[in-house]
Amino acid sequence: MMTAHDVCGHTHAACRSDSSRMRPTVSFYTCFVLSLCLGLACVVCVSVWNSHWRGGFAWDSSSLQFNWHPVLMVTGLVVLYGIGAVLYRVPLTWGQNKLPWKILHAALMLISLVLSIIGLCAVFDFHNAKNIPNLYSLHSWIGIAVTALFAIQWVVGMAGFLLPWSPTSLRVLLKPIHVWMGGSILTLSIAACISGINEKLFFVFSKNPPYSKLPPEAVLANMLGVLIVAFGMVVLKILSTHEWQRPDSRPEDINYTPILQEENE
């Protein structure tokens, strides 16, 4: 027969267990909300820069068309990509049917890819209209490479994880590569954006006032770069923390099912 002391001991143990489970959840949501805030700040900052300081937007092969390039690349290749990458880490999705989350993950990544491609079209069209060479800078090399890798990643992810004819052995082989490539693409995207911001500022402030004087536009653009780096660090922290992985998505669990086979579950 249990005594009052035994009941109290079990109660304290249960409370400690609940507390230990809550701490990672609170930490996750703190980082997740921070990533959302930083992502929104990145989009607002790059939009204000190009609408207020660079004259706005158009699609007429002018410099106003070029302004779409940084906005779409930051929004698509960094912010939407990063948010899409951490969806599976949200504890509210654990223990639920993965079908809607797989669809949302794939959709966000597709939107991100489409925005990135439109952003590339904007800059290529502008360069061609002004007889400016394409793909000559390190920024452009990184940008085109990361967009190509992203497209390959999306296609391979669709074929390997979402279609019913993908064998389990292939999914097991692709899983760690897909995860590693996802983080690498985000890192390269950040590098492309940072180098692009710096390149743009050197072009804009090649004459008076010089970049070294830090005019207000340069301060805003530098702050955009800082926000992008901070966003990337928070997203990579979420992706690299083992305790925040979806329980049925950890490496030791290989028995997961393609999307079209889950519809009847």
Side-chain angles (χ1 to χ4, degrees):
M1 185 174 186
M2 294 184 65
T3 66
H5 182 270
D6 294 331
V7 172
C8 186
H10 284 295
T11 302
H12 285 310
C15 289
R16 284 195 299 270
S17 178
D18 290 342
S19 177
S20 65
R21 285 196 296 266
M22 283 185 63
R23 278 196 294 270
T25 303
V26 171
S27 300
F28 170 82
Y29 279 114
T30 300
C31 286
F32 183 64
V33 171
L34 180 59
S35 71
L36 293 176
C37 293
L38 287 170
L40 178 61
C42 289
V43 174
V44 170
C45 195
V46 71
S47 300
V48 170
W49 178 24
N50 287 277
S51 61
H52 178 71
W53 296 103
R54 296 288 92 216
F57 306 96
W59 199 274
D60 55 4
S61 300
S62 68
S63 59
L64 299 183
Q65 177 172 325
F66 176 88
N67 292 343
W68 283 111
H69 175 67
V71 172
L72 292 175
M73 301 310 278
V74 170
T75 302
L77 205 54
V78 175
V79 176
L80 280 180
Y81 183 93
I83 299 302
V86 301
L87 274 180
Y88 283 138
R89 302 297 197 271
V90 179
L92 286 176
T93 70
W94 298 357
Q96 298 183 20
N97 185 356
K98 291 176 69 175
L99 174 59
W101 300 104
K102 284 186 176 184
I103 293 174
L104 183 58
H105 173 75
L108 278 179
M109 290 305 189
L110 180 59
I111 293 170
S112 172
L113 179 59
V114 170
L115 291 179
S116 304
I117 292 173
I118 296 174
L120 289 179
C121 291
V123 69
F124 278 121
D125 192 36
F126 167 73
H127 280 181
N128 293 336
K130 304 299 181 183
N131 294 318
I132 299 173
N134 291 305
L135 301 176
Y136 65 89
S137 66
L138 179 60
H139 160 67
S140 61
W141 288 12
I142 297 174
I144 200 72
V146 74
T147 305
L149 287 174
F150 185 13
I152 294 171
Q153 168 90 335
W154 193 89
V155 171
V156 172
M158 172 67 74
F161 298 108
L162 303 183
L163 298 182
W165 53 76
S166 173
T168 301
S169 58
L170 177 62
R171 298 197 301 272
V172 172
L173 176 65
L174 288 178
K175 179 69 181 295
I177 300 174
H178 187 77
V179 173
W180 171 78
M181 185 63 72
S184 299
I185 289 172
L186 178 62
T187 303
L188 290 172
S189 299
I190 293 169
C193 288
I194 297 303
S195 60
I197 291 169
N198 216 30
E199 183 179 290
K200 180 65 174 179
L201 290 176
F202 278 121
F203 284 143
V204 170
F205 298 110
S206 58
K207 299 178 182 178
N208 290 325
Y211 187 14
S212 60
K213 296 296 183 181
L214 273 184
E217 180 182 353
V219 173
L220 178 67
N222 283 353
M223 287 303 301
L224 170 61
V226 172
L227 289 171
I228 290 172
V229 171
F231 173 81
M233 291 177 66
V234 174
V235 169
L236 291 173
K237 165 64 178 174
I238 293 173
L239 294 176
S240 63
T241 302
H242 181 77
E243 291 78 9
W244 296 345
Q245 290 185 10
R246 184 183 176 105
D248 58 354
S249 296
R250 289 175 181 168
E252 59 267 22
D253 185 2
I254 61 175
N255 297 317
Y256 55 96
T257 311
I259 188 170
L260 296 182
Q261 292 181 10
E262 291 186 0
E263 294 177 351
N264 296 322
E265 292 184 359

